[in-house]
Amino acid sequence: MTMERHLATAQAHPNIALVKYWGKRDVELNLPAVGSLSITLDRLCTRTTVRFVPDRREDRIRIGGHEDATAAARVSTFLDLLRQRAGVAWGAEVESTNNFPTAAGLASSASGFAALAVAGTRALGLDLAPMELSELARRGSGSAARSLFGGFVEWARGVRADGRDSVARPLLGAQEWPLRVVIAVTARGAKETGSSAGMRRSAETSPFQSAWLDHQDADLAVARTAIARRDFAALAEVAEHSCLKMHALALAARPGLIYWNGATVEGLQRVRALRRAGTAVFFTIDAGPQLKAVCLPDAVTTVAQALREVPGVLEVIECGLGEAAALLDEAGAAA
Ligand code: PMV
């Protein structure tokens, strides 16, 4: 029934990298220069409905109720991949909503392209396995490859030129080590330099690029082991290191990329102070000013309270670890 109408709805959650992806080995295929490792969040979510209209050629794309030409062009380019695969030239109607700010370092492109890959392929009657969907979502936004899965996820760099081996895989389910994430929102606007442009500038001008590439596999191995052993202190150490190293790489580009504001820096100092005082928490920051604090469940109230008190923090969002991207039925329940 749904397939006959070429219609499907999917939901996906953003993910936050603990060992960061920064740099591409192939821009066209969106292949990463390094592997990465993330956690998928539960509360934040993108819901996307895709409907293909066989007798139409153009796409109509609304994100958060608005038509934005730049975002629409990116979505249409992605839909072309799906159309190619299905051998059709149908136009699509896409309606996508986030329950959190778009393009401000909260990984809206990750959940957005993961939901679009799941809904778009189903609307065309394509039946892809999760790893194939991960490969496809990667073409929209690198980190979207990871949002196909829940819990702890690793996205492989891969070595193949065609990218078939650069897909994500789940490492550990959300319930198997239920960490909490406290997000301190410190700005609401879209970021100045998007991640793709930032990665390009870092690779072309930062003197630290080769050191960044050289140490990633070791960081991934440490993080993998820490997760397998539920060793919070070891994960905290490597995750903060990876975050600060990615930002050091970007800061040393020309012109330097400064994704932080004052509240971001104040927040990370607070997280460090909490940890020194015995609270199981660490921070991470992506290509935007929001600070994410990852903690054990019993620390979440303390962490949220401490971050709420940081001057410049506009809002604090508490999340747990979330599940994989999924199709939804017409009532909005998991299909
Ligand atoms: O998926 P993109 O192209 O928006 O890149 C994401 C880059 C970081 O969020 C900074 C790091 C990561 O691994 O998610």
Side-chain angles (χ1 to χ4, degrees), residues 15-24 30 34-38 74 105-110 113 138 140-146 155 191 194-197 199 212 216 246-247 259 285-288 292:
N15 69 79
I16 308 274
L18 304 184
V19 179
K20 302 293 183 193
Y21 151 52
W22 197 252
K24 298 180 197 269
N30 225 3
V34 290
S36 56
L37 194 153
S38 61
R74 214 171 144 193
L106 283 183
S108 57
S109 65
F113 281 101
R138 186 201 75 221
S141 170
S143 54
R146 299 184 308 235
W155 171 26
K191 62 197 168 202
S195 48
S196 290
M199 288 179 199
W212 165 254
Q216 188 78 350
M246 180 202 108
H247 284 276
Y259 285 112
I285 308 156
D286 291 306
K292 292 105 181 186

Side-chain angles (χ1 to χ4, degrees), residues 133-144:
L133 287 167
S134 168
E135 189 191 343
L136 196 56
R138 186 201 75 221
R139 300 285 299 271
S141 170
S143 54

